[in-house]
Amino acid sequence: MTIEIIPARLRCEYLDNPLGIDCREPRLSWIGLAAHPEQRGARQTAYHILVASDEATLARDQGDLWDSGKVHSRQSQHIPYAGRPLSSGQACWWKVRIWDAQGNVSAFSEAAHWEIGLLEPSDWQGQWIGMANQVAKHEAHGLQPSPYLRTTITCEKSVSRARLYITARGLYEAHLNGQRVGNACLAPGWTEYTKRVQYQTYDVTGQVHQGENALGAILGTGWYCGHVGFGLNGKQNYHHYGTTPRLLLQLVVTYTDGSRQAFVTDETWKGTTGPILYSDFLAGEAYDARLELGHWDQADYNEGGEQAWQPVSAWEQDAIPLVAQPDQPIRATQTLHPQGIEEVSPGVYVYDMGQNMVGWVQLRVRGEAGQRVQLRFAEMRSPDGTIYTENLRSARQTDSYILKGSGDEIFEPRFTFHGFRYIEVTGYTGIPDLSALRGCVVHSDTPLSGTFECSDPMVNQLQKNITWGQRGNFLSIPTDCPQRDERLGWMGDAQIFIRTACYNMDVSAFFSKWMQDVVDAQAENGAFGEVSPRLLVQNDASPAWGNAGIIVPWTLYQMYGDRRVLERHYTAMARWVHYVREANPDLLWVHKTGNNYGDWLSIDAETPKDVLATAYFAYDALLMEQVAEALERHTDAEQYRTLYQEISEAFCRAYVTDDGRIKGETQTCYLLALRMGLLPQALRPLAASHLVEDIEKKGWHLSTGFVGVGYLCPVLTEAGYNDVAYRLLLNDTFPSWGYSIKHGATTIWERWDGWTEERGFQDVGMNSFNHYSLGSVGQWLYEYVAGISVDPQEPGFQHILIRPNPNPRLTYAQAEFDSPLGKIVSHWQQHEDIFILQVTIPANSSALVYVPREKGQAIFEGGSAATAAEGVSFVRDEEHSTVFDVVSGSYTFEVKKQK
Ligand code: RAM
């Protein structure tokens, strides 16, 4: 017999071969691939994991750290390491083999590995260092020069392995022997710095050698002490956590004789300032190439040279824990080339990247020493073609480069990022052409995991805009916007968008990391924040914002099967619900409502705040019941169930009439009540019809804000108004997604009316053109149009629902999604006389497939009656579809329409 399933894509804690993790029982995952693509029903029945302390041992099929033995299980995700205790720096090599349903065993997979970081505070032997006095002396308006720090070290023996553990309060870029270390940007990333600071681990074996080596770093201010958030009304929006940046690192070298030596930051290091006059998130970077420090990061450098290097300031370590970064670093992931260039006035050039993007540009220029080129960044242009910067508020988003006059010069900033489509270039000698600039796209490097496409070009542009919005705003944390003086981790935005985000990219590690920030921002009284980390906006959270603390872990559990995230944060989640409940004994959420944003930025449709809040309170209870069940806390589950029922009843008594009208009568009122299941069965169709009446009254337009928009199309489809959902999707008159696209949007706007034909730009006080919230319709495209979703009873796509909802306005729609178990495909197309649905279900999973058909239409699969097809079993007929149970594999269902 030949094997049916083989293991692939080995991951540890969601990452490929992570270095320096600080989890003592990391979870191991793989996917099973069907050995033969045409095969159906491939599944795993057992696994065997080996973990060894080095590659050679593993190659001999020995697991000196852990040999799981043969374990009868279909589980391939999140299997906790259960071998010998792991200590700091331990390398772990692993592989797995699996058994299929026939009892055949696969070969062992390729080897994968992970490595433990520095687990104990005492592992860190160095001191924090910086150039406090020197940089503070030069600071103006919160902008300070970047310190360059260096030392030389001597490795006495030949090197077999070297690891650099490094972090900063601020940002760092590490250098070793003339080379930059790694390709992470804006490291160590943002956390609630008062509670934890992340570090990174780099394999620098190839960069360190026997003899003298130079070790150094450049520091930036970043979230720690640079500008972040509002600078409105002269408010100081820098020095949030400290005043000058600091570095802490430890280079651990293992010699070929097995001995080890650690080199650390301490008061023997030297520092100076150099060409980076400042590099700040909001202000941008100013760089004077004439002040470059030559080969400062090499061993033979003369510290007494042009720029005097001075002793650093040093500080002992404190009690704030250092933690390994658990998610993908921020990286420059792609390069965009400008699409156009225009001289808008003499010497003022405006470049168009063709895409509203986040990151920076690389400038190529030639000229004389001392000449200054300035780059200003903007999302939009004014009618006269000049860049429109009013919506940036106090963020200057300006880079400047002073030439050293040495032929071709290339400038790329280090510790800033901008949100922009247009770049204004001034001070360029000669006439710049398109090759003078290239755009570097920068974001947390979450791998793409999904695609959606259909026959309507506008919808395809919408999908692109949603993905670009996600890309640009996922920078260490989910931010609201990347351009103006804000860029904060708004909770409401994140919760409404997370499901869409999960389809587009693998955000498992990213959101697991952020959930810790959310809990770190939780107050003593149990309240989550409006933003996490809790910066500038200090008050406790609003309805629909604080609820992110429940919705985010719940979604991670659903989408990735991550039970540990629920376990870890269960107490925090329960404390939040308790906080709301204590303050609202009547079960209508009217007290402790924070800034009470309501259905933020809706269009002439003010949803009563208490209605929205109470619906979310009920939703908390509903989700907590399911969380408690998942964790087998049955008594808690029972209590949350009761709470949910009681809130629903209170909601109905207070806000719902006998004919299903809801106080406020906005679209969002109905959406919330329907989505959160608050109405008695009999009132649901009535409420849905009131919802549709309102849409019709508005000329078939939506009026929802940040909150309601996420439920709009899903609720309509579920309630039997799929056609109305499509109508809203395909609309291009105001307000609609299509309206912004018709006017050239390449990202999702913060406001439906960010720009309108009648009034032009909205209020400059708050008008971002790159905000993902209104893009939460992406969930509906994947789950309802293409029809891929997880069976809530079997999280992590162990069981899949394929339930497309076609509409005559599209001839095809197709989604692919790299689920935790492998690729899922749903692709439908319809022609005059036939509807075809192609489905792929990954090995080790199974699905219920809802094939749309009208009464009397026959369904075929692979040419014969579907009921007779291999791997397919008939479940039931519904009014508009037939439901089949299918095992893993690829299927083509055809429904022939009667003429
Ligand atoms: C603004 C932004 C943000 C939103 C808050 C309430 O700052 O629109 O996205 O969450 O308001």
Side-chain angles (χ1 to χ4, degrees):
M1 282 288 261
T2 55
I3 181 74
E4 294 184 345
I5 186 167
I6 45 179
R9 207 174 85 185
L10 275 60
R11 304 253 185 111
C12 172
E13 287 296 318
Y14 290 123
L15 302 173
D16 295 323
N17 301 325
L19 263 194
I21 62 170
D22 59 10
C23 179
R24 289 167 199 264
E25 288 164 6
R27 295 163 300 174
L28 305 178
S29 305
W30 59 88
I31 60 170
L33 284 182
H36 317 285
E38 65 291 342
Q39 187 185 313
R40 292 181 177 173
R43 64 192 171 91
Q44 168 193 309
T45 54
Y47 66 79
H48 179 196
I49 298 171
L50 290 179
V51 184
S53 53
D54 60 65
E55 208 176 352
T57 309
L58 190 71
R60 291 193 300 274
D61 293 347
Q62 287 167 5
D64 59 336
L65 293 175
W66 187 37
D67 182 336
S68 73
K70 181 175 176 181
V71 180
H72 291 275
S73 167
R74 66 173 283 208
Q75 202 186 340
S76 66
Q77 301 294 308
H78 305 306
I79 290 145
Y81 169 81
R84 283 173 39 198
L86 302 174
S87 49
S88 295
Q90 175 70 57
C92 303
W93 290 83
W94 72 288
K95 58 187 181 180
V96 60
R97 58 179 174 162
I98 56 182
W99 279 260
D100 67 15
Q102 270 61 38
N104 305 304
V105 64
S106 74
F108 272 110
S109 65
E110 306 249 301
H113 57 90
W114 80 87
E115 194 175 298
I116 301 293
L118 300 182
L119 293 175
E120 309 295 339
S122 59
D123 288 333
W124 290 90
Q125 296 161 26
Q127 294 172 305
W128 290 93
I129 60 169
M131 295 300 289
N133 297 334
Q134 200 169 352
V135 296
K137 200 166 70 204
H138 288 101
E139 180 171 287
H141 311 293
L143 302 177
Q144 47 181 261
S146 274
Y148 284 62
L149 305 170
R150 77 184 298 276
T151 193
T152 52
I153 57 165
T154 308
C155 296
E156 303 287 354
K157 301 178 244 180
S158 91
V159 175
S160 76
R161 169 171 123 147
R163 295 287 183 267
L164 181 67
Y165 304 96
I166 177 169
T167 185
R169 287 188 155 128
L171 307 173
Y172 70 83
E173 184 183 287
H175 286 239
L176 243 172
N177 292 329
Q179 281 175 352
R180 177 176 163 190
V181 175
N183 59 4
C185 306
L186 312 181
W190 192 9
T191 49
E192 190 76 49
Y193 289 140
T194 54
K195 303 261 173 74
R196 71 193 71 234
V197 175
Q198 294 184 154
Y199 68 91
Q200 285 77 31
T201 305
Y202 300 97
D203 179 357
V204 290
T205 310
Q207 276 172 274
V208 182
H209 50 74
Q210 185 169 3
E212 235 201 349
N213 295 268
L215 180 57
I218 313 171
L219 299 185
T221 50
W223 297 279
Y224 181 73
C225 54
H227 289 83
V228 182
F230 324 109
L232 297 172
N233 312 321
K235 198 163 167 184
Q236 178 169 315
N237 57 341
Y238 57 94
H239 290 184
H240 293 297
Y241 301 95
T243 54
T244 59
R246 301 170 181 198
L247 172 73
L248 177 71
L249 69 74
Q250 181 153 328
L251 173 66
V252 180
V253 176
T254 310
Y255 295 120
T256 39
D257 66 1
S259 61
R260 279 192 181 193
Q261 195 173 0
F263 303 95
V264 300
T265 38
D266 60 22
E267 71 282 335
T268 65
W269 282 54
K270 296 281 173 50
T272 189
T273 55
I276 303 179
L277 307 180
Y278 61 81
S279 192
D280 178 273
F281 285 160
L282 301 185
E285 177 165 320
Y287 189 95
D288 186 344
R290 296 170 305 178
L291 303 179
E292 281 177 358
L293 297 168
H295 56 294
W296 68 277
D297 52 0
Q298 295 182 34
D300 60 355
Y301 180 69
N302 173 8
E303 285 173 357
E306 309 123 49
Q307 211 88 8
W309 289 69
Q310 297 166 15
V312 295
S313 332
W315 299 267
E316 291 307 324
Q317 286 178 56
D318 49 41
I320 296 176
L322 297 171
V323 299
Q325 176 177 8
D327 64 332
Q328 292 87 358
I330 297 173
R331 293 195 181 100
T333 62
Q334 53 176 302
T335 303
L336 298 187
H337 297 281
Q339 303 295 301
I341 174 171
E342 195 184 320
E343 187 172 15
V344 292
S345 60
V348 180
Y349 298 91
V350 174
Y351 280 73
D352 178 2
M353 297 305 300
Q355 172 63 50
N356 196 14
M357 58 168 279
V358 176
W360 51 75
V361 299
Q362 190 190 72
L363 164 76
R364 179 183 290 272
V365 63
R366 233 170 205 281
E368 292 186 2
Q371 178 198 329
R372 180 172 178 275
V373 182
Q374 176 176 281
L375 309 170
R376 293 204 301 145
F377 297 83
E379 296 181 291
M380 301 293 266
R381 291 210 274 189
S382 296
D384 64 1
T386 57
I387 58 169
Y388 176 79
T389 56
E390 280 80 347
N391 67 326
L392 303 179
R393 301 198 303 224
S394 75
R396 290 216 311 266
Q397 289 213 137
T398 303
D399 293 349
S400 63
Y401 179 74
I402 301 180
L403 280 73
K404 57 188 169 203
S406 65
D408 267 345
E409 298 182 37
I410 289 181
F411 163 67
E412 212 177 297
R414 278 198 177 74
F415 302 122
T416 186
F417 65 92
H418 315 302
F420 63 99
R421 170 171 172 174
Y422 301 100
I423 307 115
E424 179 203 81
V425 181
T426 50
Y428 199 96
T429 41
I431 301 165
D433 62 13
L434 289 178
S435 71
L437 296 187
R438 50 168 68 176
C440 307
V441 176
V442 176
H443 57 102
S444 283
D445 194 6
T446 52
L448 284 175
S449 60
T451 55
F452 173 88
E453 192 195 299
C454 69
S455 54
D456 187 279
M458 191 276 282
V459 177
N460 294 339
Q461 183 65 44
L462 172 62
Q463 167 63 18
K464 266 199 201 146
N465 293 4
I466 295 170
T467 310
W468 274 102
Q470 175 168 348
R471 198 174 272 133
N473 279 299
F474 282 27
L475 268 119
S476 190
I477 63 156
T479 59
D480 63 325
C481 61
Q483 73 299 85
R484 69 181 180 220
D485 58 357
E486 187 152 349
R487 313 184 188 190
L488 299 175
W490 284 100
M491 300 270 283
D493 310 35
Q495 67 87 355
I496 205 70
F497 188 67
I498 184 174
R499 188 67 75 128
T500 302
C502 290
Y503 284 109
N504 287 328
M505 299 185 199
D506 176 0
V507 290
S508 50
F510 177 84
F511 270 110
S512 303
K513 179 265 175 195
W514 186 62
M515 190 55 205
Q516 186 60 57
D517 299 332
V518 168
V519 172
D520 284 347
Q522 188 172 31
E524 283 290 303
N525 62 8
F528 289 123
E530 306 272 31
V531 292
S532 300
R534 219 190 255 228
L535 191 80
L536 285 159
V537 191
Q538 288 298 340
N539 60 284
D540 295 339
S542 306
W545 268 249
N547 306 69
I550 309 291
I551 295 167
V552 167
W554 168 250
T555 307
L556 292 176
Y557 173 62
Q558 285 288 311
M559 294 297 286
Y560 301 110
D562 192 336
R563 202 165 171 268
R564 196 181 269 181
V565 77
L566 298 182
E567 274 162 13
R568 182 171 294 157
H569 300 303
Y570 185 76
T571 313
M573 295 159 79
R575 285 177 60 221
W576 159 257
V577 180
H578 182 74
Y579 158 81
V580 178
R581 161 139 221 189
E582 279 282 290
N584 297 285
D586 299 337
L587 301 182
L588 304 179
W589 187 359
V590 292
H591 305 293
K592 301 263 189 206
T593 50
N595 288 338
N596 221 357
Y597 298 111
D599 189 20
W600 187 239
L601 305 181
S602 58
I603 293 292
D604 299 328
E606 190 62 20
T607 297
K609 304 267 167 77
D610 52 345
V611 172
L612 180 139
T614 304
Y616 263 95
F617 183 22
Y619 193 41
D620 274 350
L622 177 69
L623 295 188
M624 280 304 279
E625 178 210 329
Q626 296 171 39
V627 171
E629 279 301 355
L631 297 179
E632 288 162 37
R633 292 169 178 261
H634 303 298
T635 322
D636 289 8
E638 189 58 49
Q639 283 169 6
Y640 285 120
R641 187 169 317 136
T642 309
L643 179 62
Y644 171 64
Q645 278 155 7
E646 288 171 359
I647 302 170
S648 306
E649 282 157 21
F651 180 95
C652 289
R653 272 196 308 276
Y655 308 130
V656 184
T657 64
D658 290 346
D659 65 347
R661 292 199 182 271
I662 299 175
K663 178 180 153 188
E665 299 192 43
T666 64
Q667 294 171 17
T668 295
C669 292
Y670 294 109
L671 293 168
L672 290 167
L674 288 163
R675 176 68 178 79
M676 277 60 165
L678 306 178
L679 305 175
Q681 208 48 45
L683 291 190
R684 291 180 62 90
L686 287 173
S689 69
H690 301 321
L691 164 66
V692 173
E693 275 156 32
D694 186 82
I695 294 171
E696 183 179 8
K697 214 165 61 199
K698 295 190 155 64
W700 300 103
H701 284 101
L702 54 78
S703 65
T704 48
F706 274 30
V707 177
V709 67
Y711 309 128
L712 182 61
C713 289
V715 165
L716 285 167
T717 299
E718 298 260 359
Y721 295 98
N722 192 44
D723 192 52
V724 179
Y726 270 91
R727 202 162 173 169
L728 296 177
L729 174 75
L730 296 168
N731 210 347
D732 68 359
T733 51
F734 179 80
S736 65
W737 293 282
Y739 186 74
S740 69
I741 291 169
K742 192 167 72 182
H743 293 290
T746 58
T747 36
I748 300 291
W749 296 351
E750 179 177 25
R751 321 177 70 126
W752 296 113
D753 57 358
W755 184 92
T756 59
E757 279 146 295
E758 291 73 36
R759 68 173 280 182
F761 290 114
Q762 243 287 7
D763 184 353
V764 297
M766 206 188 74
N767 195 21
S768 141
F769 292 94
N770 196 356
H771 237 77
Y772 49 70
S773 297
L774 300 181
S776 55
V777 65
Q779 174 181 357
W780 180 74
L781 298 178
Y782 281 101
E783 292 189 344
Y784 292 81
V785 177
I788 296 175
S789 62
V790 60
D791 177 347
Q793 301 310 316
E794 293 197 49
F797 292 86
Q798 305 222 53
H799 189 241
I800 298 163
L801 305 178
I802 301 288
R803 194 175 198 168
N805 290 278
N807 183 273
R809 294 167 209 238
L810 297 184
T811 56
Y812 79 89
Q814 141 173 41
E816 294 196 0
F817 172 55
D818 279 321
S819 78
L821 295 193
K823 191 184 283 300
I824 303 171
V825 179
S826 174
H827 177 186
W828 57 258
Q829 47 183 303
Q830 50 190 354
H831 311 290
E832 251 162 49
D833 55 349
I834 194 165
F835 175 87
I836 302 170
L837 173 63
Q838 286 163 292
V839 174
T840 300
I841 301 302
N844 223 8
S845 187
S846 57
L848 278 187
V849 180
Y850 293 69
V851 181
R853 60 101 194 84
E854 293 313 320
K855 289 249 149 51
Q857 294 178 337
I859 303 176
F860 299 87
E861 195 287 316
S864 41
T867 40
E870 185 204 338
V872 178
S873 28
F874 171 83
V875 178
R876 62 179 178 271
D877 271 324
E878 294 194 347
E879 206 184 334
H880 299 290
S881 60
T882 299
V883 188
F884 298 100
D885 214 338
V886 308
V887 297
S888 66
S890 291
Y891 301 85
T892 303
F893 292 95
E894 292 180 357
V895 184
K896 304 240 163 69
K897 298 183 184 165
Q898 274 114 7
K899 295 257 173 69

